[in-house]
Amino acid sequence: LRRTFFLLIAFSLLTLPSVLFAQQRGLPDRIVPCNGIDCTCDDLIQLAQNIINAGIYIAVFLSAVLFAYAGWQYMTQETIGGKQDAKGLIQNTAIGLVVILAAWLFVDTLMTETLRTSVTWNNICQYLKL
């Protein structure tokens, strides 16, 4: 019964994100959308968006790895000092992830509120008329 439950949970954890995030492609195919000669404002905005998406994608992936490593360290340490180090790593990883996601939210909100329109990263060039 335990083995079946574990296999069901493992299967769910592996397949559920791909179903929920079916439209997300993860890392972009190309970070730079133009060849460097005929770049437009839209290409520069797309470049910024690709860099931000890649950074967040990598940060979330690395934080998941660090959470797993810290959890493993916490479970296998026999000394109080080792457990405290693992707890500290979990806390620092959580704080770092929150800071990264909050920074993205802050920049996005600041841009929207400063321009006072429904400007997004994708249509800012039309707003600035570049």
Short mmCIF file of all heavy atoms in Angstrom, two decimals, residues 11 19 103:
data_model
loop_
_atom_site.label_atom_id
_atom_site.label_comp_id
_atom_site.label_asym_id
_atom_site.label_seq_id
_atom_site.Cartn_x
_atom_site.Cartn_y
_atom_site.Cartn_z
N PHE A 11 4.29 9.91 -9.59
CA PHE A 11 3.75 10.09 -10.94
C PHE A 11 3.02 11.43 -11.05
O PHE A 11 3.16 12.15 -12.04
CB PHE A 11 2.81 8.93 -11.30
CG PHE A 11 2.20 9.07 -12.65
CD1 PHE A 11 2.95 8.84 -13.79
CD2 PHE A 11 0.87 9.44 -12.79
CE1 PHE A 11 2.40 8.96 -15.05
CE2 PHE A 11 0.30 9.57 -14.05
CZ PHE A 11 1.06 9.33 -15.17
N VAL A 19 0.93 19.35 -17.28
CA VAL A 19 -0.47 19.56 -17.63
C VAL A 19 -0.89 20.98 -17.26
O VAL A 19 -1.54 21.67 -18.04
CB VAL A 19 -1.37 18.52 -16.92
CG1 VAL A 19 -2.83 18.83 -17.13
CG2 VAL A 19 -1.04 17.13 -17.42
N ALA A 103 10.79 41.05 -6.76
CA ALA A 103 11.42 42.05 -7.63
C ALA A 103 10.74 42.08 -8.99
O ALA A 103 10.48 43.16 -9.54
CB ALA A 103 12.90 41.74 -7.79
#
